[in-house]
Amino acid sequence: MTMKAAVVGGGIGGLVTAVALRQAGVDVRVFEQASAVGTAGAGIQLAPNATRVLDALGLLPAIRRVAVEPTEFDFRRWDDGRVLSTTPLAGAIADTYGAPYLHVHRGDLIAILAEALPVEVGARCVDVVPGDRGAELLLAGGRREQADLVVGADGIHSLVRRSVLGAEDARFTGHVAFRGLIPAERVAGLGLAHTATVRMGPGRHCVHYFVSAGRLLNVVCVIEETSWTRESWTDRGDPAEVRAAFADWDPVVRAIVDALDAPLKWALFDREPIPRWSKGAVTLLGDACHPMLPYGAQGAAQAIEDAAVLAACLRDDADVPAALARYEALRHDRTARVQAISRGNATRFHLPDGPAQQARDAAIAASNGLTPDLDWLYGSDIFTAA
């Protein structure tokens, strides 16, 4: 009998999971609470550990058509734009790790994924009940669905997580990000190359790179706040606020920020690693179980890795709880380490000028931006316990 799976959440993690499970012979349905599959959003970075999985799933050719392959990754100083290090990406990184490094608009990627399988929209999950065999999904309006497996890919505020593991608030990190997309022609005079650029400064940093085949510049400007009191974790940002925050930065940064007409202001939350992700035939994936700060550009990549490993475990073992136990064993320590790396960068990127900042800059320059974690992150076999 064909295994039946319900994936809660139609974001990147949920959709890649559904594609991977379907290719593993599982009958998959995706339930998304929004009224349409989301094509909004900003840019994401897909490192080789993610694009290798997408290639194996047959999705990479379509993604390449809407992506940008950056030439290099640059760290720069905040006040004068001085380059601290340059890491070659295009060609070089694919030669080393067997897969490219790409920048893509989240909406472009989701549109490609949604073409590969049907998604039921307007289907809001309100409870999940694990059973002795399988699980029951309760949807708004009283509808119930039975499945042999339920995957919660419904983000950091996951209902599935709360249903099976109990309530626990996410932690506000003290960082907020202003993010937005700028038409490339509006910043053409700045001479920006197709690079991934991080500009680090005291108490804040700015990241920018092109997406949508070079038509849009994705910009993320992060500052520190002591609290987040608003009910929503994403608000409309005030352009004047972000301009004031970067008023004394390099003129290129100021010009980029001036072009941000309607940024979103995004509170950054995360959680500590949890000891278990599953209960019976219900498991979690991506931000639902290991949310991380975006400072390692690995949130989507780790969800994509989760999807591949979960599908492989279920293909190899029809005993769902046993397969989920193996999935956790393969993924838990690796994702916890990536969470820690990303959290560490929150401090590293925001050092005030002084001895610690000078030591950081010297270390970055000496390593050409490469860290000892890079081979482990991009080149590890995700199908063996890390």
Side-chain angles (χ1 to χ4, degrees), residues 328-342:
E328 284 188 29
L330 290 170
R331 297 298 300 153
H332 184 277
D333 290 354
R334 178 171 170 86
T335 56
R337 182 172 169 184
V338 179
Q339 282 179 292
I341 291 169
S342 300

Side-chain angles (χ1 to χ4, degrees), residues 89-300:
L89 292 179
I93 205 158
D95 291 343
T96 302
Y97 298 110
Y101 196 113
L102 299 178
H103 294 155
V104 64
H105 188 297
R106 180 182 180 276
D108 292 338
L109 178 56
I110 284 188
I112 290 167
L113 295 171
E115 288 179 359
L117 72 168
V119 178
E120 183 171 339
V121 297
R124 181 168 63 88
C125 176
V126 297
D127 199 8
V128 178
V129 182
D132 294 335
R133 297 178 63 85
E136 184 177 62
L137 202 66
L138 177 62
L139 302 174
R143 182 172 142 215
R144 297 176 182 272
E145 295 285 344
Q146 298 288 333
D148 301 308
L149 165 72
V150 172
V151 181
D154 49 341
I156 189 170
H157 302 295
S158 170
L159 178 283
V160 178
R161 175 183 175 130
R162 188 165 65 249
S163 294
V164 301
L165 299 180
E168 178 198 3
D169 290 337
R171 180 183 71 96
F172 175 57
T173 62
H175 286 199
V176 295
F178 294 88
R179 59 180 183 178
L181 296 161
I182 302 170
E185 59 270 19
R186 291 192 61 187
V187 290
L190 300 178
L192 300 175
H194 281 189
T195 62
T197 301
V198 178
R199 300 171 184 266
M200 301 180 293
R204 60 206 61 197
H205 73 279
C206 177
V207 179
H208 56 82
Y209 52 84
F210 286 97
V211 297
S212 296
R215 295 189 300 275
L216 298 169
L217 181 71
N218 181 73
V219 181
V220 183
C221 296
V222 179
I223 65 172
E224 297 178 4
E225 282 194 7
T226 56
S227 65
W228 185 267
T229 57
R230 292 167 290 282
E231 185 175 337
S232 171
W233 60 295
T234 302
D235 287 345
R236 288 289 176 186
D238 180 356
E241 184 180 0
V242 66
R243 288 168 190 163
F246 291 87
D248 57 349
W249 279 47
D250 175 61
V252 172
V253 175
R254 297 203 305 268
I256 290 171
V257 168
D258 283 346
L260 275 177
D261 293 332
L264 287 177
K265 188 177 183 181
W266 173 33
L268 298 181
F269 289 80
D270 71 355
R271 298 179 189 270
E272 294 293 332
I274 53 177
R276 65 188 181 97
W277 300 353
S278 306
K279 184 175 181 180
V282 182
T283 196
L284 303 172
L285 181 142
D287 282 351
C289 53
H290 50 71
M292 58 190 68
L293 288 166
Y295 307 153
Q298 279 289 310

Side-chain angles (χ1 to χ4, degrees), residues 4-17:
K4 293 186 177 181
V7 176
V8 179
I12 292 169
L15 293 175
V16 175
T17 298

